[in-house]
């Protein structure tokens, strides 16, 4: 047998090995190979038992996701699992690494399962917009019951082998570290014991009743956040109570609904893009070593970056202006660990030990003179940043990487305040920096590749999704955000209520709408930003923020003042609309002479998406983002964009770039300053291409 599956013999044991690096995904060749191997095993009178094992680092980690969305090629994975189960002689699956999704499903098709104690098993399909569709919803309940099945399916978590043993998902745990030898030894033992074929689907299963399934469906719908696969998984699980062929057919019907959905396409795009985003030109360059970093500023951002660095195993020198500010910085840092300590995930002693061994607090820049990387998180003003960088330049050792956490200022201008612009880059963290996954690595005109590579290395150490950005106002994320926030403001002035806009955006899948987000961030931030740019404002460009300025003057700054667009009396995190908002907006419309008009949620989203897509296309067209997928990952990991829609560029492809361009051209008639079509968007429409074509280029 050639191909990724081989059939060999060890005495009377057939050893079926899967060799399809890197993760032995169950692509067409592997599926066909497994069916052929089972046929050979059944026909091989000298083979009494078979062992299926993965070569290399793992047992199959699932179906080959890259085949999704392409024309199906047989044999289908559910049929492969069933073929294994229907073998006429016993079959053992010997698991190591990560046996996930279809990988676990074929092992449940086998009659016996042994796993290395370091192995992890799981059914993570929920994260791909589907659920286990190769008999997993039929076989898992027979092994571990419905309750546990739905728990691991809905969480998608990786279950460590010892726990899987306790559940009954596997039969034996082995510690030898050699899955093939352990599988063969277990097979020998089974033969000696006279163990026979033991088909999972033949096992008895108790029916928990219709009410139980209805309650499970209701609970799943609550967790789903717009995804259909949560409830469909429960529907499919009912198939476990049917005769096996009928049950498998039932699972397939529900599975295909998810598999063919745009939700699955969005989630799979996110899966591959999350990995592709790290493939930047600098990835081939050796980063500079990182052991100790300096953080300037102990506010929310500085303390968050410090916690992220400590969690990554780095030592940190935190510098603040004076002893009082240093003490506040330490308190902020400790606060970041408070809930971990309260929940028992970390002991107070461990926290104290971490701080004692890895932290230095100082009000003197010289304390950072030995740091490999220094990042500042001080006030967002160019003069302040330049002064700070001048001071860093004076003390940093040669070769240290100098980073700014600015969220929109020009990195090249900041770099010019030092004698070593080649060592400067932007590292834009998102608040809270120890929790939010996004990190924009902003590469300046003079930044050396190895300096950018060090930024990515830091991101990897911190388990961030690091996205490469060029220099522009707001980089990738905030630059695009500014546009869709502006269009939301324009719609408010023109007649839409901020509450309807928030509702429409939530229904699209965001956890919160733009005005809720403004309340959370604090409306003073936008106000200061507008003030900072007031001198350069083009009087021909519509302002659109008069009502926001009014709110600022009233002290309605959002959650921090317990009132903004919503009322947060008593420090609540959410609340009813502030009754003063609509009169304030109406007064503003009157002042502007605007005759308010009706907006539907559909029109709101058309404008919101058009603004987002247009700016994103400019960001890609100008080379600020390397590819559309970099924009998608920025939106997903930093801005709450719903993962199941894949990201703004993926979604735009799905809607149709021609449709979005037509919308932009329609809106352009009202306001040609704001709605100038992005050249890249026009070009793609003319060429009949999609953003996805640029990802694959
Ligand atoms: C399924 O099984 C459906 C069935 O129920 C029903 C069917 C009818 N396919 O993550 P890494 C690639 S759905 C194709 O960097 P790690 C990955 O893109 C599947 N490719 O490594 C990367 O490529 P590149 C259910 C895959 O060590 C390379 O392998 N299973 C697949 O950090 C290394 O990956 C899952 O959802 C795949 N299934 O983590 C598991 N998996 O080098 C998905 C990986 O070109 N996989 N690749 O960038 C994972 O969670 C992680 O990859 C794993 C390893 C934990 C296995």
């Amino acid at each position: 047998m050639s191909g990724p599956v081989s059939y060999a013999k060890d005495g009377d044991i057939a050893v079926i090995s899967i060799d399809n690096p890197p993760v032995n995904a169950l692509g067409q060749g592997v599926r066909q190979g497994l069916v052929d191997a089972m046929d050979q095993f059944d026909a091989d009178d000298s083979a009494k038992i078979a062992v299926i094992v993965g070569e290399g680092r793992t047992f199959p980690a699932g179906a080959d996701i890259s085949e999704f969305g392409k024309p199906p090629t047989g044999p289908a994975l559910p049929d492969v699992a069933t073929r294994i189960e229907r073998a006429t002689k016993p079959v053992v699956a010997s698991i190591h690494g990560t046996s996930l999704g279809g990988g676990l499903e074929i092992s449940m098709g086998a009659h016996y399962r042994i796993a290395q104690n370091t192995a992890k098993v799981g059914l993570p399909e929920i994260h791909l917009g589907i659920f286990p569709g190769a008999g997993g919803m039929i076989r898992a309940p027979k092994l571990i019951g419905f309750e546990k099945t739905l728990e691991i399916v809905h969480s998608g978590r990786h279950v460590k082998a010892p726990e899987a043993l306790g559940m009954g998902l596997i039969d034996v745990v082995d510690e030898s570290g050699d899955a093939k030898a352990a599988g063969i030894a277990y097979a020998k033992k089974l033969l000696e014991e006279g163990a026979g074929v033991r088909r999972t689907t033949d096992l008895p299963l108790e029916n928990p009743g219709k009410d139980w399934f209805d309650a499970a469906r209701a609970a799943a719908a609550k967790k789903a956040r717009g995804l259909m696969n949560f409830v469909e998984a429960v529907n499919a699980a009912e198939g476990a109570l049917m005769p096996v062929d009928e049950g498998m057919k039932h699972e397939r019907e529900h599975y295909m609904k998810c598999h063919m959905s745009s939700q699955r396409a969005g989630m799979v795009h996110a899966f591959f893009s999350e990995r592709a985003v790290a493939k930047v030109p600098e990835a081939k360059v050796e980063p500079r070593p990182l052991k100790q970093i300096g953080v300037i500023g102990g506010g929310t951002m500085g303390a968050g970056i410090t916690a992220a660095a400590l969690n990554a195993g780095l030592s940190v020198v935190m510098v603040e202006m004076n002893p009082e500010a240093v003490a506040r910085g330490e308190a902020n840092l400790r606060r970041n660990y408070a809930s971990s300590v309260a929940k028992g995930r970390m002991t107070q002693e461990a926290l104290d030990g971490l701080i004692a061994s890895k932290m230095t607090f100082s009000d003197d820049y010289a304390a950072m003179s030995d740091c490999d990387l220094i990042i500042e998180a001080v006030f967002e003003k160019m003069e302040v940043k330049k002064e700070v960088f001048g001071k860093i330049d004076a003390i940093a050792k040669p070769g240290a990487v100098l980073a700014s956490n600015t969220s929109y200022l020009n990195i090249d201008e900041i770099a010019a305040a030092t004698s070593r612009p080649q060592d400067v880059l932007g590292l834009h963290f998102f608040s809270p920096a120890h929790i939010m996954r996004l990190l924009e690595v902003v590469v300046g005109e003079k930044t050396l590749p190895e300096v950018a590579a060090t930024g990515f290395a830091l991101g990897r150490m911190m388990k961030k999704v690091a996205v490469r950005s060029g220099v522009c106002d707001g980089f990738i994320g905030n630059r695009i955000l500014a546009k869709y926030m502006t269009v939301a403001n324009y719609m408010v002035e023109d007649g839409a209520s901020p509450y309807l806009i928030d509702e429409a955006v939530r229904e699209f899948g965001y956890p919160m709408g733009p005005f809720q987000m403004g309340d959370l961030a604090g409306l003073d931030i936008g106000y200061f930003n507008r003030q900072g740019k007031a001198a350069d404002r083009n009087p021909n460009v519509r302002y659109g923020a008069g009502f926001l300025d009014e709110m600022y003057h009233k002290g309605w700054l959002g959650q921090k003042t317990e009132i903004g667009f919503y009322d947060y009396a008593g420090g609540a995190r959410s609340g009813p609309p502030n009754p003063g908002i609509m009169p304030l907006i109406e007064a503003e419309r009157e002042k502007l002479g605007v005759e308010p008009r009706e907006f539907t949620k559909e029109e709101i989203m058309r404008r919101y998406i058009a603004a987002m897509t247009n700016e994103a296309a400019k960001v890609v067209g100008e080379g600020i983002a390397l590819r559309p997928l970099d924009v998608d990952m920025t939106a997903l990991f930093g801005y709450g964009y719903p993962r199941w829609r894949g990201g703004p560029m993926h979604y735009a492809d799905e809607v149709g770039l021609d449709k979005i361009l037509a919308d932009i051209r329609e809106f352009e008639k009202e306001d040609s300053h704001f709605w100038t079509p992005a050249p890249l968007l026009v070009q793609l429409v003319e060429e009949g291409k999609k953003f996805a074509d640029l990802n694959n280029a």
Side-chain angles (χ1 to χ4, degrees):
M1 249 171 85
S2 63
V5 179
S6 62
Y7 184 93
K9 293 289 288 299
D10 185 313
D12 50 8
I13 300 172
V15 181
I16 298 168
S17 307
I18 302 169
D19 189 7
N20 186 29
V23 297
N24 286 325
L26 295 153
Q28 194 277 335
V30 177
R31 297 196 302 274
Q32 188 61 56
L34 281 170
V35 169
D36 293 346
M38 293 321 296
D39 289 346
Q40 191 172 348
F41 169 55
D42 269 345
D44 183 350
D45 289 337
S46 67
K48 303 261 182 324
I49 188 166
V51 177
I52 303 177
V53 67
E55 295 289 350
R57 59 195 253 204
T58 186
F59 198 80
D64 184 344
I65 309 167
S66 66
E67 288 181 351
F68 288 10
K70 297 183 184 153
T73 46
L77 197 51
D79 298 335
V80 177
T82 298
R83 176 66 190 86
I84 293 169
E85 185 173 60
R86 295 204 174 149
T88 51
K89 294 170 279 188
V91 181
V92 173
S94 186
I95 297 168
H96 75 296
T98 39
S99 167
L100 303 173
L104 183 59
E105 290 176 290
I106 60 163
S107 73
M108 291 192 285
H111 307 135
Y112 299 92
R113 284 157 293 282
I114 176 170
Q116 292 303 303
N117 65 333
T118 50
K120 289 176 186 156
V121 300
L123 297 167
E125 287 92 336
I126 209 79
H127 301 309
L128 298 171
I130 50 174
F131 58 80
M137 301 311 299
I138 307 300
R139 293 192 179 92
K142 302 234 171 187
L143 293 170
I144 61 175
F146 283 108
E147 186 118 21
K148 283 207 181 77
T149 296
L150 290 184
E151 187 269 312
I152 62 168
V153 165
H154 282 148
S155 68
R157 74 186 171 96
H158 294 184
V159 182
K160 291 183 179 150
E163 186 188 349
L165 178 71
M167 275 182 188
L169 207 44
I170 54 178
D171 303 298
V172 181
V173 167
D174 175 80
E175 300 192 358
S176 69
D178 185 340
K180 195 177 278 183
I184 291 170
Y186 181 44
K188 275 189 184 140
K189 185 167 166 274
L190 287 168
L191 279 184
E192 278 160 24
E193 289 168 359
V197 161
R198 187 186 65 171
R199 297 192 173 108
T200 305
T201 50
D202 287 344
L203 297 173
L205 180 62
E206 203 178 312
N207 186 349
K210 185 177 177 308
D211 289 352
W212 187 91
F213 281 104
D214 286 344
R217 261 183 284 272
K222 260 194 179 166
K223 280 189 223 140
R225 284 175 143 238
L227 274 163
M228 62 196 277
N229 58 344
F230 276 75
V231 171
E232 289 298 347
V234 183
N235 294 338
E238 287 178 303
L241 297 164
M242 301 172 187
V244 59
D245 288 343
E246 205 183 307
M248 292 291 288
K249 203 167 145 254
H250 175 88
E251 179 195 72
R252 188 79 179 157
E253 277 164 16
H254 288 279
Y255 172 83
M256 287 312 284
K257 274 196 220 170
C258 299
H259 187 96
M260 300 308 285
S261 71
S262 62
Q263 297 192 342
R264 190 274 303 151
M267 298 288 263
V268 168
H269 171 72
F271 176 88
F272 284 120
S273 301
E274 202 177 326
R275 288 158 176 80
V277 85
K279 292 173 184 153
V280 295
E282 292 84 1
K284 297 179 194 92
V285 180
E286 188 66 29
R288 292 182 185 168
L290 280 176
K291 280 208 173 73
Q292 175 168 243
I293 72 163
V295 178
I296 304 171
T300 307
M301 203 32 116
I305 296 170
T306 304
L310 288 179
N311 297 344
L314 293 161
S315 298
V316 183
V317 180
M318 181 194 272
V319 169
E320 258 293 358
M321 279 185 297
N322 50 50
E324 295 74 46
V326 169
R328 270 199 305 277
E330 177 168 357
N332 287 337
L333 174 64
R334 285 181 176 273
R335 202 166 304 131
N336 286 338
Y337 288 97
S339 79
S340 294
V341 172
K343 286 180 189 148
R345 284 201 296 262
M346 188 181 204
T347 63
Q348 185 62 46
E349 295 73 54
L351 174 60
D352 292 342
L354 180 70
I355 290 180
S357 62
K358 296 276 188 182
M359 282 301 304
T360 306
F361 297 95
S362 177
D363 60 356
D364 183 358
Y365 273 52
M368 298 182 294
S369 58
D370 211 24
C371 288
D372 305 308
L373 179 148
I374 299 174
I375 178 164
E376 63 74 24
V378 302
F379 194 65
E380 281 283 89
K381 221 170 175 196
M382 186 51 91
E383 295 79 74
V384 180
K385 300 279 188 197
K386 282 183 176 170
E387 193 194 321
V388 166
F389 269 79
K391 282 158 77 178
I392 301 174
D393 193 19
I395 57 91
K397 68 179 179 187
V401 171
L402 316 185
S404 171
N405 179 52
T406 180
S407 45
Y408 61 93
L409 294 174
N410 188 321
I411 293 294
D412 294 330
E413 203 179 327
I414 294 175
T418 72
S419 62
R420 36 177 143 175
Q422 73 282 359
D423 291 335
V424 177
L425 86 171
L427 289 177
H428 181 207
F429 287 86
F430 290 71
S431 188
H434 57 304
I435 293 171
M436 292 288 287
R437 298 277 316 281
L438 182 64
L439 173 67
E440 279 179 315
V441 178
V442 186
V443 182
E445 203 187 352
K446 298 205 170 131
T447 310
L448 282 175
E450 68 190 60
V451 171
T454 311
F456 280 98
L458 180 68
R460 266 195 310 278
M461 291 170 87
M462 292 178 166
K463 299 195 169 66
K464 302 281 181 207
V465 174
V467 177
R468 188 190 195 282
S469 173
V471 176
C472 67
D473 185 6
F475 315 127
I476 299 175
N478 281 349
R479 173 169 162 184
I480 299 170
L481 171 81
K483 290 293 174 184
Y484 58 85
M485 290 298 265
T486 301
V487 90
N489 295 343
Y490 288 171
M491 288 190 282
V492 168
E493 279 189 351
D494 291 342
S497 101
Y499 308 107
L500 189 71
I501 295 175
D502 275 352
E503 199 178 308
V505 170
R506 280 197 308 270
E507 282 174 11
F508 182 79
Y510 276 91
M512 58 176 83
F515 299 103
Q516 286 174 291
M517 204 173 85
D519 273 2
L520 179 68
L523 298 177
D524 48 338
I525 294 182
Y527 179 81
F528 290 133
N529 202 349
R530 289 191 296 280
Q531 291 296 304
K533 291 179 180 156
D536 306 326
R537 186 173 304 130
N538 178 348
N540 297 321
V541 173
R542 181 175 173 186
Y543 183 50
F547 67 100
L548 293 166
D549 291 349
E550 279 303 308
M551 288 179 69
Y552 173 82
H553 294 307
K554 279 184 176 299
W556 292 350
L557 305 185
Q559 293 197 13
K560 65 168 82 164
T561 54
E562 299 193 2
I563 189 122
F565 286 96
Y566 298 85
D567 185 345
Y568 306 95
R573 305 296 297 269
S574 63
N578 168 359
I581 289 292
M582 288 319 291
L584 182 148
I585 290 170
E586 278 151 24
E588 182 66 17
R589 286 176 189 152
E590 213 160 287
K591 203 163 89 190
L592 296 167
V594 172
E595 189 63 46
R597 65 177 185 86
E598 288 275 323
F599 276 84
T600 60
K601 286 192 241 179
E602 192 251 328
E603 181 178 358
I604 289 170
M605 286 320 296
R606 261 178 64 206
R607 285 175 181 263
Y608 207 73
I609 294 302
M612 194 181 293
T613 310
N614 202 33
E615 196 61 18
K618 290 179 187 172
V619 161
V620 176
E622 291 167 22
I624 299 296
L626 281 181
R627 300 147 296 190
L629 68 85
D630 297 77
V631 173
D632 285 343
M633 294 307 98
T634 303
L636 247 61
F637 289 98
Y639 295 84
Y641 192 95
R643 187 178 174 96
W644 52 269
R645 291 199 191 268
M649 311 303 265
H650 176 86
Y651 179 67
D653 276 349
E654 199 181 289
V655 173
L657 299 190
D658 52 342
K659 264 197 186 152
I660 295 182
L661 181 60
D663 278 348
I664 294 167
R665 292 218 151 111
E666 186 191 320
F667 307 146
E668 192 186 8
K669 289 179 197 144
E670 298 161 14
D671 181 348
S672 59
H673 275 291
F674 185 79
W675 291 107
T676 319
L680 177 64
L681 184 59
V682 174
Q683 185 195 330
L684 289 174
V685 171
E686 278 169 7
E687 292 173 356
K689 287 190 177 153
K690 293 178 158 208
F691 286 125
D693 295 318
L694 305 179
N695 286 334
N696 306 328

